[in-house]
């Protein structure tokens, strides 16, 4: 997995400035740990387009709609799995 992550980072390196600009334009989100603090039980929802054990789950997933639905359903945090080879991310 580490070799694969390093290879992916190397392919994205030429786009570093572009990706940093894109990241600076989005609204800040609450910190993951902060979302889970408190006395009540918290739910962490998970988003992935495919699974190593089940294969393709939802290739046409609309990330924004899914996150909004999870939030409406009471999720305190959302984990988005992005590894291309294992979870169908990009």
């Amino acid at each position: 997995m580490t070799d694969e992550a390093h290879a992916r980072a190397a392919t994205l390196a030429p786009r570093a400035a572009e990706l940093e600009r894109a990241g600076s334009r989005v609204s800040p989100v609450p910190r993951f740990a902060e979302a889970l603090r408190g006395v009540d039980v918290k739910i962490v929802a998970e988003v992935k387009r495919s699974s190593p054990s089940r294969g393709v789950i939802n290739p046409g997933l609309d990330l924004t709609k899914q996150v909004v639905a999870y939030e409406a359903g009471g999720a305190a945090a959302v984990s988005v799995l992005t590894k291309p080879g294992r979870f169908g991310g990009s």
Side-chain angles (χ1 to χ4, degrees), residues 4 8 50-52 82-89:
E4 186 179 329
R8 185 168 178 221
S50 64
S51 161
T82 61
K83 191 169 182 182
R86 298 179 64 86
F87 303 110

Side-chain angles (χ1 to χ4, degrees), residues 22-71:
S24 71
R25 291 190 298 264
V26 297
S27 301
V29 295
R31 296 188 56 89
F32 197 85
E34 290 296 321
L36 301 179
R37 289 205 171 103
V39 295
D40 297 327
V41 172
K42 308 291 183 179
I43 295 174
V44 177
E46 183 176 271
V47 177
K48 59 185 173 184
R49 288 187 171 94
S50 64
S51 161
S53 62
R54 300 212 37 187
V56 176
I57 298 169
N58 190 353
L61 176 78
D62 181 318
L63 179 61
T64 302
K65 287 182 181 177
Q66 190 66 53
V67 169
V68 168
Y70 283 155
E71 184 179 38

